[in-house]
Amino acid sequence: KFNVGVDTIQHGVEGLTYLLTESSKLMISETDFQDSIHVLGFSDELNKLLLQLYLDNRKEIRSILGELSPKLPSYHSLEWRLDVQLASRSLRQQIKPAVTIKLHLHQNEDQTAQVLQTDPSTLLHLIQQLEQALGEMKTNHCRRIVRNMK
């Protein structure tokens, strides 16, 4: 009907899908959307139609994207125990500490438990790495990325 190749139509639909999903992810304003499509060189009438299409469907697109995202387990509670081996038959004076952690998680209303065991030095290294990651989340660059992800 359009006297156009199949590839051209496929690329057009993929481009329109990408434009609407990325715009909806970022929840860009009307003016930002207009500025984004203005550089594509479409007519004013087509720009207005694309803007109306975006405004009418952005909430539905966001809800669909939210349903498609993977559901990761979430933290519920934590139990821990410190075990220390002070001696054995062959070594009378040794200190061998171990930390055992039982992590309770929720995932889709199911509860699971993961048991982990480590030595204190590895646990301290893990704590330092997590504190460093939390510190990086406070930088302006990470805040900007997180704001755009919402």
Side-chain angles (χ1 to χ4, degrees), residues 9-150:
I9 293 175
Q10 182 180 354
H11 292 304
V13 170
E14 289 173 353
L16 183 61
T17 304
Y18 181 78
L19 173 71
L20 292 175
T21 54
E22 290 300 313
S23 299
S24 298
K25 271 188 211 176
L26 300 174
M27 282 298 285
I28 63 175
S29 65
E30 290 181 35
T31 55
D32 290 337
F33 185 82
Q34 286 176 333
D35 290 343
S36 298
I37 61 174
H38 180 71
V39 296
L40 298 175
F42 296 137
S43 65
D44 290 338
E45 183 180 328
L46 185 57
N47 287 345
K48 288 178 186 176
L49 285 172
L50 286 173
L51 175 64
Q52 193 59 42
L53 181 68
Y54 166 67
L55 293 175
D56 292 343
N57 296 307
R58 68 177 165 188
K59 290 181 182 176
E60 185 177 352
I61 292 170
R62 281 185 66 82
S63 68
I64 291 170
L65 290 174
E67 291 172 7
L68 293 175
S69 65
K71 304 292 186 226
L72 300 174
S74 61
Y75 169 81
H76 177 67
S77 64
L78 178 96
E79 300 174 36
W80 63 276
R81 182 179 73 215
L82 177 64
D83 296 322
V84 179
Q85 182 178 355
L86 297 175
S88 66
R89 288 183 184 178
S90 59
L91 293 172
R92 301 228 186 266
Q93 292 187 359
Q94 72 173 7
I95 297 177
K96 188 176 175 184
V99 178
T100 305
I101 300 169
K102 188 173 187 179
L103 186 62
H104 297 274
L105 304 170
H106 280 297
Q107 184 172 16
N108 300 330
E109 299 183 17
D110 295 331
Q111 282 195 359
T112 59
Q114 299 289 329
V115 179
L116 311 166
Q117 189 171 24
T118 184
D119 60 292
S121 61
T122 305
L123 184 61
L124 285 174
H125 178 70
L126 180 64
I127 290 169
Q128 289 172 348
Q129 292 297 313
L130 290 172
E131 286 176 347
Q132 181 182 356
L134 285 173
E136 288 180 16
M137 283 299 297
K138 294 178 182 177
T139 63
N140 288 333
H141 180 68
C142 284
R143 286 183 184 169
R144 209 173 312 124
I145 290 172
V146 169
R147 191 177 334 117
N148 287 332
M149 288 174 57
K150 292 180 183 178

